[in-house]
Amino acid sequence: MSIEIDRLKAGHKGDNGGSAVSREDGLENAGSERGQAFRSLEEIATALERGETTSVALTEYFLNRIATFNTQLHAYSETFADACLRQAAACDAIRHSGQTIGPLHGIPVAVKDIFDIAGLPTSAGSTALHDRVPEQSAFAVQRLIQAGMVVIGRTHMVEFAFGGWGTNPVMGAPRNPWDPSQHRVAGGSSSGSAVSVAAGLAPVALGTDTGGSVRTPAVWCGVIGLKTSHGLIGRGGVVPLCGTHDSVGWFSRTVRDSALLLNVLQGADPRDAANARVAEIDALAEIEHGIANMKIGRLVDADLAGVDPDILRLHDEALEDLEALGATIAPIHLPLSIADYLKSGGDIMSYESFRALGQYVEAESSPVDPTIRGRIMAGKSITDDAYRQTLQRRLEAQAEFADRIADYDALVMPGSHIVARTLTDVDESVPPNFYGRVVNFLDLAAVAAPTGLTSEGMPAGIQIVVRKFDDALALRIARALEKHRGGLVHVPAGY
């Protein structure tokens, strides 16, 4: 199934970025209107299978929600109203003929504006990248369409994905839906994708993660976020930032939904060398098997210095729940300090981003935001020798960590050390998340899972970190916690 895109800039038509379509009750047989926006992929798939709704009705419904909320939230940079409705109608026709493509057939999905879509410019959150008009869509987008999903629109992000706060002075910063009184950031760089799922503007959304770019927004917006193993999901057609660390990820409302996407998005991507000869995994095969007799690590107290007390309390409660489910919790020492991961990971990102994006920032007249420009330009002064030394140190740290975690199944650490800040309180010179770059630097996979609300009424969360290609195990642990708690993701007021 091909995708043709008629672009509708979010915020232009009806001031809210979606066409105000005629039927707002397209899911009339599936519960209250508010509940319809926050159903899981599995619940939506069941409604489609039973004939309680159609793909066209679903698509119209989410377009209307975008039209209602996007001016406030700034989650979408553009929607594809006419094209996605045609695609949805084609899905319905296939279903009417008695066929389906798979479990996600006919369900809408949002995509971060770093993934190519054939024939359309990819902005990557910048006005500088005007010359990227691809002939083919990104591998991940192709896989979504092959699975029968309906690409409803593209989401805002930090410029060139080089930032964790979720700000973007050039294109505008998405607003965290959990604070109705003031503009709090959503986390970056996949900010709009996290907001779209948290506020019920899409059931699921694609993002990328180079140093926490899925996990920080997931934790700050209170949804599930999966940072996949480097190489597991092909990155062909993704605007590069740092090839050593870049990985595809996504946001969902349940752990099983994340596993469904993982199964769909795997495959051989000839445009990504890191994906060569990577064996596919079945994320659902053992997801309900529980965690009895597992050994799960927790950080030593020194590595938890500076964590907000509320976040640490919720983190410890989650560990207690995992222990109650049969896991043994024991401390584990990271091979480097938190400051080392931030510095060394940042150096690799700057060096590689300058080689990938330097042409867009070197000129004084560059339209790139000065903060992002500075991060990329910093890579120009990093010598090849210094870069190689950092990569060698990374390999040594990975080997040491492998030894330390040899007797463990996973490691739990805070999803972030702070809650989402107001836009006016953001200081771009300090890290938004002490625990973002650790996972990329050590070449691991991780699930970000909500742990509840702090005294400020803002979401907090943990990361369940596993060895490379143990993504299914991370989901299994998160699923056990989700079942124990009767769900992890909740709905912010007003949506």
Side-chain angles (χ1 to χ4, degrees):
M1 183 184 298
S2 63
I3 181 169
E4 297 176 287
I5 301 297
D6 294 330
R7 293 197 295 169
L8 177 63
K9 289 293 182 182
H12 286 190
K13 187 169 184 179
D15 295 327
N16 291 290
S19 62
V21 293
S22 58
R23 187 168 64 218
E24 296 186 3
D25 60 344
L27 309 182
E28 61 271 16
N29 295 321
S32 69
E33 181 178 356
R34 189 166 189 260
Q36 293 163 15
F38 300 99
R39 293 183 305 167
S40 69
L41 291 178
E42 291 183 309
E43 290 169 333
I44 294 172
T46 298
L48 284 165
E49 184 179 353
R50 291 175 176 172
E52 296 170 355
T53 188
T54 65
S55 181
V56 168
L58 279 167
T59 303
E60 290 177 339
Y61 177 75
F62 282 106
L63 285 172
N64 272 316
R65 285 190 60 82
I66 297 167
T68 300
F69 295 114
N70 199 60
T71 292
Q72 175 189 4
L73 294 174
H74 201 63
Y76 283 83
S77 58
E78 55 188 338
T79 54
F80 309 137
D82 292 340
C84 66
L85 286 170
R86 289 197 299 271
Q87 189 183 1
C91 288
D92 286 338
I94 292 172
R95 187 179 295 276
H96 185 70
S97 72
Q99 306 175 58
T100 56
I101 296 174
L104 306 182
H105 178 92
I107 300 177
V109 59
V111 174
K112 182 180 181 179
D113 190 20
I114 201 169
F115 292 88
D116 285 342
I117 295 177
L120 298 178
T122 308
S123 77
S126 180
T127 59
L129 207 63
H130 54 79
D131 59 346
R132 189 181 179 97
V133 183
E135 294 183 358
Q136 64 180 128
S137 296
F139 174 80
V141 174
Q142 292 175 347
R143 295 293 292 174
L144 292 175
I145 295 167
Q146 290 164 5
M149 299 199 80
V150 177
V151 179
I152 199 168
R154 292 208 263 205
T155 55
H156 280 294
M157 55 178 284
V158 175
E159 192 169 16
F160 291 132
F162 207 161
W165 286 102
T167 57
N168 188 324
V170 175
M171 305 283 279
R175 176 172 176 160
N176 194 310
W178 279 93
D179 192 337
S181 65
Q182 55 189 337
H183 187 155
R184 292 200 191 222
V185 290
S189 63
S190 307
S191 46
S193 287
V195 172
S196 71
V197 174
L201 307 188
V204 288
L206 276 189
T208 57
D209 192 309
T210 306
S213 287
V214 163
R215 289 161 288 139
T216 303
V219 167
W220 285 1
C221 292
V223 294
I224 305 293
L226 176 62
K227 181 266 178 217
T228 61
S229 295
H230 183 265
L232 184 59
I233 309 298
R235 299 166 300 169
V238 177
V239 177
L241 175 65
C242 172
T244 297
H245 290 165
D246 291 345
S247 61
V248 175
W250 47 85
F251 304 88
S252 66
R253 302 197 59 76
T254 72
V255 177
R256 287 184 62 90
D257 283 358
S258 189
L260 279 167
L261 280 174
L262 181 55
N263 283 358
V264 161
L265 284 164
Q266 294 175 78
D269 180 2
R271 290 180 283 170
D272 185 358
N275 179 250
R277 296 182 298 279
V278 172
E280 294 187 26
I281 60 178
D282 186 347
L284 288 168
E286 298 182 354
I287 198 168
E288 303 292 349
H289 286 195
I291 62 171
N293 301 316
M294 286 189 187
K295 186 177 181 180
I296 296 175
R298 63 167 297 159
L299 296 181
V300 297
D301 290 346
D303 287 332
L304 294 171
V307 178
D308 178 283
D310 257 3
I311 292 175
L312 191 57
R313 172 181 57 80
L314 293 166
H315 165 274
D316 289 347
E317 288 175 1
L319 286 172
E320 290 171 2
D321 283 349
L322 294 174
E323 196 167 31
L325 288 166
T328 299
I329 309 297
I332 188 168
H333 292 258
L334 295 174
L336 302 174
S337 71
I338 296 299
D340 283 331
Y341 295 111
L342 293 170
K343 174 65 167 61
S344 298
D347 286 348
I348 293 172
M349 291 167 66
S350 287
Y351 179 93
E352 295 189 10
S353 68
F354 179 75
R355 274 72 190 171
L357 302 166
Q359 61 181 308
Y360 301 108
V361 302
E362 280 201 276
E364 290 294 332
S365 59
S366 170
V368 176
D369 174 66
T371 297
I372 304 301
R373 183 172 181 266
R375 289 172 184 158
I376 296 173
M377 286 298 296
K380 186 176 183 179
S381 63
I382 298 174
T383 66
D384 293 347
D385 186 56
Y387 169 67
R388 285 192 293 269
Q389 289 180 22
T390 303
L391 289 182
Q392 180 59 36
R393 191 180 190 201
R394 179 176 184 256
L395 288 173
E396 292 167 357
Q398 289 171 6
E400 187 173 351
F401 181 75
D403 286 341
R404 294 186 182 188
I405 203 172
D407 295 330
Y408 293 77
D409 295 284
L411 167 67
V412 168
M413 64 175 73
S416 175
H417 67 289
I418 56 174
V419 298
R421 295 289 187 250
T422 63
L423 184 61
T424 54
D425 286 339
V426 167
D427 182 351
E428 294 283 0
S429 69
V430 299
N433 187 352
F434 288 166
Y435 306 103
R437 293 177 186 172
V438 176
V439 175
N440 305 77
F441 191 82
L442 294 177
D443 202 13
L444 307 169
V447 173
T451 52
L453 301 182
T454 68
S455 57
E456 294 181 62
M458 297 300 295
I462 55 170
Q463 297 181 73
I464 300 168
V465 183
V466 293
R467 297 172 183 84
K468 189 174 185 177
F469 302 133
D470 267 357
D471 305 51
L473 177 60
L475 291 165
R476 174 178 165 182
I477 296 169
R479 173 60 179 153
L481 183 63
E482 180 181 52
K483 289 170 67 177
H484 180 71
R485 292 192 165 193
L488 295 174
V489 177
H490 302 285
V491 178
Y495 301 99

